Amino acid sequence: MSTATTHGHAHDHHDDHHGPAKGLMRWVTTTNHKDIGTLYLVFALVMLFVGGAMALIIRLELFQPGLQFVNPDFFNQMTTMHALIMVFGMIMPAFVGFANWMIPMMIGAPDMALPRLNNWSFWILPFASGILVSTLFMDGGGPAGGWTLYPPLVLQTGNAFPFAIFAVHLLGMSSIMGAINIIVTIMNMRAPGMTLLKMPLFVWTWLITAYLLIGAMPVLAGGVTMLLTDQFFGTSFFSAAGGGDPVLFQHIFWFFGHPEVYIIILPAFGIVSQIIPTFSRKPLFGYDSMVYATASIGFLSYIVWAHHMFTVGMPLAGMMFFMLSTMLIAIPTGVKVFNWLSTMWRGSLTFETPMLFAIGFLFLFTIGGFSGLMLAITPADFQYHDTYFVVAHFHYVLVPGALFGALGGAYYWLPKWTGHMYDETLGKVHFWMSAIFVNVTFFPQHFLGLAGMPRRIPDYATQFADWNMVSSIGAFGFGFAQLLFVYVVIKCVRGGKPATAEVWDNPEGLEWTVPSPAPYHTFDEAPVIK
């Protein structure tokens, strides 16, 4: 790439006359998609540890029965903040960082379509997250109504409440602007010959994710604004005393919340769809069906929201509809899983760190998918609802699902981003520590939930003590294992073995040839055997 494209094409006049901005200002004012992608990824990594620290406070308190370390109010603030930070401050920015870095290169564009909007989308994030975290230091503490912000619970938050709502608004704005940028870039800036059905799968998953974001985030904004007016302006959208209904909030929230979980997982699907063909040395099996499956998941994600609400007293027809439509989502998801397996089938497999994370993703995400099917069965859900079984389910989808997808993508593209090879041995150690501890942490929570342990409680009956202790040990192991990842990244950025253009073509010294160059044959397309 020429320096013109590397440094972005939207310099302002100051840059034109005095060379590129130096030092700190380069990062504050940058319009370059790679710089902004890096900012997103570094920010997400920081927030992983902020949200992770909150999770460890939760697990520390649950290590044994009784109230040991924090008071119940603070415990509830931790569960609420842990979720909001991890979802809006960590996993979504991480995937937007991947999108910024890779989409222009994958479609042959010089940069994102709206570079200044791109800069603003990022810089809203640290301030929004700062406001959110600052609520913990306000009178009465941070929001404690769960990440779902249900009224009337969340309205008892006190002074922190409007700040939390404002932070959620800002985080949503950042997401919406990022999504607009991605759609405009993909639709308008593809290289000649790059038809939609020739785009890498990662680009497709982000195109569909961006539409989900634009559809879902304004619904959340509306819901939290109604909470705000209920609290300060005398409306009663959600107050039964004034003719409102708190269940209305649940409908609004989950109409956002269900597409949101697919917003979180689809980019991970895209990353895994890049990694598996590379290390199988075969093209992705069933490319077109993967695209259509992703689109079906996106469409269906909007008509299943009330499966989060089977216990609110829904009519039978409603319960039947939401049960069956939820089960329908399992079909395109299953198509994707079997296509990934078929890609690996009879491939020339090697197991570098990115491939390990992709295979770990495949196996563990499927466990989360099956427990999701269990939760979709309405009569069974009456038993599972609001127990630790639900916590186990969504953490299997989000941690060895979305987070493993992100970690796999980071290892996969680090050589491309830095020009250096990361330490493969440490990468594999990081994978195995993560894979073992994530299961030690979350698998026992299935048992706890089926035995009847409720979610969001700081204290519990003694029969739940053993598995909680196991879960807490796993959580600390998993948390500290992630420090190794930080070390690997820093070591890679600072130097190491230079990465060649064929960094993933020839891991074992075998003879491979790269396919003939074309606009969309980027470094992550599968090479062909000689």
Side-chain angles (χ1 to χ4, degrees):
M1 272 188 144
S2 70
T3 46
T5 53
T6 315
H7 291 294
H9 59 267
H11 295 297
D12 56 20
H13 293 299
H14 173 83
D15 283 1
D16 290 339
H17 297 302
H18 305 290
K22 289 282 186 293
L24 180 67
M25 285 314 282
R26 166 189 155 189
W27 293 102
V28 175
T29 61
T30 181
T31 51
N32 174 331
H33 73 101
K34 297 176 182 178
D35 283 353
I36 294 171
T38 303
L39 286 168
Y40 269 111
L41 289 161
V42 170
F43 175 74
L45 190 56
V46 171
M47 295 315 275
L48 175 66
F49 287 95
V50 175
M54 295 173 177
L56 293 187
I57 291 170
I58 294 167
R59 283 313 327 166
L60 187 68
E61 181 55 64
L62 295 175
F63 184 74
Q64 56 185 36
L67 293 172
Q68 278 88 229
F69 297 99
V70 295
N71 67 38
D73 271 346
F74 186 72
F75 182 90
N76 290 340
Q77 291 167 34
M78 284 296 99
T79 56
T80 305
M81 294 290 286
H82 162 67
L84 290 172
I85 291 285
M86 286 305 210
V87 170
F88 295 111
M90 187 263 138
I91 200 70
M92 288 167 70
F95 286 131
V96 177
F98 284 112
N100 263 301
W101 248 106
M102 299 314 299
I103 288 175
M105 296 200 278
M106 285 179 159
I107 64 172
D111 203 302
M112 296 295 282
L114 306 161
R116 289 171 186 258
L117 187 75
N118 207 12
N119 175 287
W120 198 42
S121 304
F122 171 75
W123 280 111
I124 286 175
L125 273 180
F127 292 97
S129 304
I131 291 168
L132 190 57
V133 174
S134 73
T135 58
L136 291 171
F137 303 99
M138 293 176 188
D139 229 15
W147 84 279
T148 52
L149 307 172
Y150 282 1
L153 257 185
V154 78
L155 302 176
Q156 294 157 13
T157 302
N159 292 344
F161 174 74
F163 287 91
I165 298 297
F166 183 46
V168 169
H169 269 300
L170 289 175
L171 293 161
M173 277 172 57
S174 168
S175 292
I176 290 169
M177 295 191 305
I180 291 170
N181 206 347
I182 285 167
I183 291 173
V184 177
T185 304
I186 295 172
M187 298 314 266
N188 290 343
M189 295 181 70
R190 300 193 306 281
M194 167 72 71
T195 60
L196 286 175
L197 282 173
K198 279 183 180 165
M199 299 193 307
L201 238 278
F202 178 70
V203 182
W204 258 114
T205 54
W206 247 113
L207 180 62
I208 290 160
T209 301
Y211 278 107
L212 292 184
L213 275 166
I214 288 172
M217 293 310 289
V219 179
L220 175 68
V224 297
T225 305
M226 290 152 86
L227 281 176
L228 204 65
T229 59
D230 271 14
Q231 182 78 325
F232 296 107
F233 294 93
T235 58
S236 47
F237 293 112
F238 310 130
S239 156
D245 184 357
V247 176
L248 171 65
F249 179 82
Q250 296 190 27
H251 278 290
I252 294 169
F253 180 86
W254 287 114
F255 190 80
F256 145 80
H258 204 80
E260 168 66 22
V261 299
Y262 290 97
I263 288 163
I264 291 170
I265 202 67
L266 286 181
F269 284 176
I271 290 172
V272 168
S273 302
Q274 303 298 128
I275 294 174
I276 288 180
T278 300
F279 296 99
S280 306
R281 288 162 183 90
K282 283 171 63 191
L284 184 73
F285 181 91
Y287 172 91
D288 288 27
S289 67
M290 289 295 252
V291 172
Y292 297 131
T294 312
S296 321
I297 291 170
F299 170 73
L300 291 168
S301 74
Y302 276 107
I303 57 167
V304 298
W305 77 90
H307 66 206
H308 297 267
M309 303 169 51
F310 283 141
T311 58
V312 301
M314 220 184 292
L316 186 63
M319 292 201 270
M320 285 296 287
F321 172 81
F322 286 108
M323 175 167 81
L324 296 172
S325 60
T326 303
M327 290 183 163
L328 206 57
I329 279 200
I331 297 169
T333 311
V335 167
K336 294 180 87 67
V337 169
F338 285 117
N339 278 7
W340 287 321
L341 286 172
S342 306
T343 305
M344 293 193 284
W345 180 254
R346 298 187 67 182
S348 303
L349 296 174
T350 54
F351 299 97
E352 285 74 33
T353 310
M355 186 61 161
L356 290 175
F357 274 104
I359 294 171
F361 168 94
L362 204 57
F363 182 68
L364 298 171
F365 173 80
T366 304
I367 294 176
F370 279 128
S371 58
L373 269 177
M374 292 170 68
L375 290 163
I377 302 165
T378 309
D381 186 72
F382 274 79
Q383 293 300 321
Y384 308 141
H385 184 80
D386 264 340
T387 71
Y388 255 80
F389 188 85
V390 181
V391 179
H393 154 69
F394 70 74
H395 280 89
Y396 259 86
V397 179
L398 291 178
V399 184
L403 181 61
F404 273 27
L407 291 170
Y411 280 109
Y412 185 57
W413 283 312
L414 259 177
K416 187 173 184 68
W417 295 340
T418 62
H420 303 294
M421 215 28 217
Y422 62 85
D423 187 320
E424 186 66 67
T425 312
L426 288 180
K428 285 179 171 161
V429 172
H430 173 226
F431 166 76
W432 284 110
M433 287 173 70
S434 299
I436 290 163
F437 281 123
V438 83
N439 285 292
V440 174
T441 307
F442 297 116
F443 209 82
Q445 294 179 6
H446 293 101
F447 310 148
L448 290 167
L450 294 176
M453 179 173 163
R455 295 170 67 170
R456 295 175 173 156
I457 50 166
D459 187 13
Y460 52 85
T462 46
Q463 69 262 32
F464 305 130
D466 294 353
W467 286 123
N468 267 299
M469 186 172 285
V470 171
S471 186
S472 288
I473 291 167
F476 278 87
F478 183 80
F480 288 111
Q482 304 320 304
L483 293 169
L484 182 57
F485 175 67
V486 178
Y487 175 73
V488 171
V489 171
I490 292 171
K491 186 177 166 191
C492 178
V493 170
R494 289 188 151 181
K497 207 171 61 181
T500 60
E502 297 79 37
V503 66
W504 289 132
D505 296 346
N506 200 358
E508 302 294 336
L510 306 166
E511 260 198 82
W512 309 102
T513 56
V514 186
S516 57
Y520 44 91
H521 276 137
T522 52
F523 120 121
D524 43 23
E525 295 239 340
V528 196
I529 194 161
K530 250 187 199 165

